Amino acid sequence: SAVISQKPSRDICQRGTSLTIQCQVDSQVTMMFWYRQQPGQSLTLIATANQGSEATYESGFVIDKFPISRPNLTFSTLTVSNMSPEDSSIYLCSVHVRGLTDTQYFGPGTRLTVL
Amino acid sequence: GQSLEQPSEVTAVEGAIVQINCTYQTSGFYGLSWYQQHDGGAPTFLSYNGLDGLEETGRFSSFLSRSDSYGYLLLQELQMKDSASYFCAVLYNFNKFYFGSGTKLNVKP
């Protein structure tokens, strides 16, 4: 299993500013991901955070808007840049652990409100 | 990405059995997972099917049919605490999960 923590748990930000969300895992994991979830909606994959190389972004998400760092196998950051109210959402970090089953563990999420 | 379809909402009574279906596209498919999410909480892992057939974990079971691009989550002996959203998710190209739109389960006394 994996235990994931995220900071901050929530924030209220002004339009045009940036926020960096931190994700810490209690064990080394190869695959780490960032998702976004609007209240009552599904989880949308933003990108795969790759250790030692640039993140892999899904369609509709770009590095300039959502820069991601992955300096080691236990830590990653997601920055939401030049924020607008449309960026208000819950941002979740997750890791994929392979074993007898393929399991994905999620952090508690960061609730972002942009005014 | 992947396209997954599941019902938006299901209502059942305590003690009953409910089945939540999920259909998906086959391109890049490796396996199907199910997650539970209570309001305000993070998704938590319930089950994973990499092969056809039924996987049972306590009151919850999950089924996969690769030939039909179909799976389901079966919840037995429903309890009030089972009221939550349930997501199916496809393991794509063996390295990332795409999620369905979610099914809101309402359990009534």
Side-chain angles (χ1 to χ4, degrees):
Chain A
S1 67
V3 177
I4 305 171
S5 60
Q6 283 185 235
K7 288 194 298 187
S9 58
R10 60 178 62 226
D11 208 341
I12 300 173
C13 301
Q14 295 297 319
R15 181 195 298 260
T17 62
S18 298
L19 176 72
T20 295
I21 302 167
Q22 298 180 7
C23 175
Q24 180 74 52
V25 189
D26 69 340
S27 57
Q28 293 188 339
V29 290
T30 303
M31 289 175 285
M32 188 179 283
F33 307 92
W34 288 97
Y35 286 84
R36 183 169 73 180
Q37 185 178 32
Q38 305 279 0
Q41 302 293 315
S42 184
L43 292 90
T44 301
L45 181 61
I46 298 172
T48 303
N50 301 308
Q51 195 269 328
S53 65
E54 196 171 280
T56 306
Y57 290 84
E58 297 295 310
S59 175
F61 297 95
V62 295
I63 187 171
D64 289 346
K65 176 67 176 177
F66 297 101
I68 288 170
S69 79
R70 180 89 191 271
N72 55 54
L73 293 177
T74 64
F75 185 79
S76 177
T77 67
L78 168 75
T79 299
V80 186
S81 303
N82 188 24
M83 288 183 284
S84 66
E86 292 71 35
D87 295 320
S88 296
S89 189
I90 298 170
Y91 292 85
L92 296 131
C93 170
S94 78
V95 300
H96 179 190
V97 176
R98 292 204 174 121
L100 292 177
T101 64
D102 282 80
T103 305
Q104 194 162 9
Y105 297 96
F106 285 85
T110 296
R111 184 180 293 270
L112 171 62
T113 302
V114 184
L115 303 177
Chain B
Q2 280 280 331
S3 175
L4 298 91
E5 292 191 14
Q6 52 182 126
S8 60
E9 193 164 353
V10 173
T11 299
V13 297
E14 260 188 311
I17 299 173
V18 70
Q19 179 174 314
I20 300 173
N21 299 321
C22 175
T23 57
Y24 59 85
Q25 289 181 346
T26 57
S27 173
F29 176 87
Y30 272 86
L32 187 71
S33 280
W34 289 91
Y35 292 81
Q36 179 191 60
Q37 186 178 32
H38 286 98
D39 285 347
T44 56
F45 172 81
L46 291 177
S47 68
Y48 173 79
N49 292 73
L51 301 173
D52 283 1
L54 192 68
E55 295 283 341
E56 297 179 83
T57 308
R59 294 187 296 113
F60 295 1
S61 303
S62 59
F63 172 82
L64 174 65
S65 169
R66 287 172 171 264
S67 60
D68 295 321
S69 300
Y70 163 76
Y72 66 72
L73 178 69
L74 190 73
L75 299 88
Q76 303 183 71
E77 301 172 20
L78 280 175
Q79 302 175 8
M80 296 298 291
K81 68 178 181 179
D82 297 329
S83 292
S85 292
Y86 293 84
F87 295 90
C88 59
V90 162
L91 177 58
Y92 177 71
N93 280 347
F94 208 43
N95 64 11
K96 54 188 170 183
F97 284 95
Y98 290 108
F99 283 73
S101 53
T103 299
K104 185 174 176 59
L105 172 63
N106 302 301
V107 180
K108 296 187 177 301

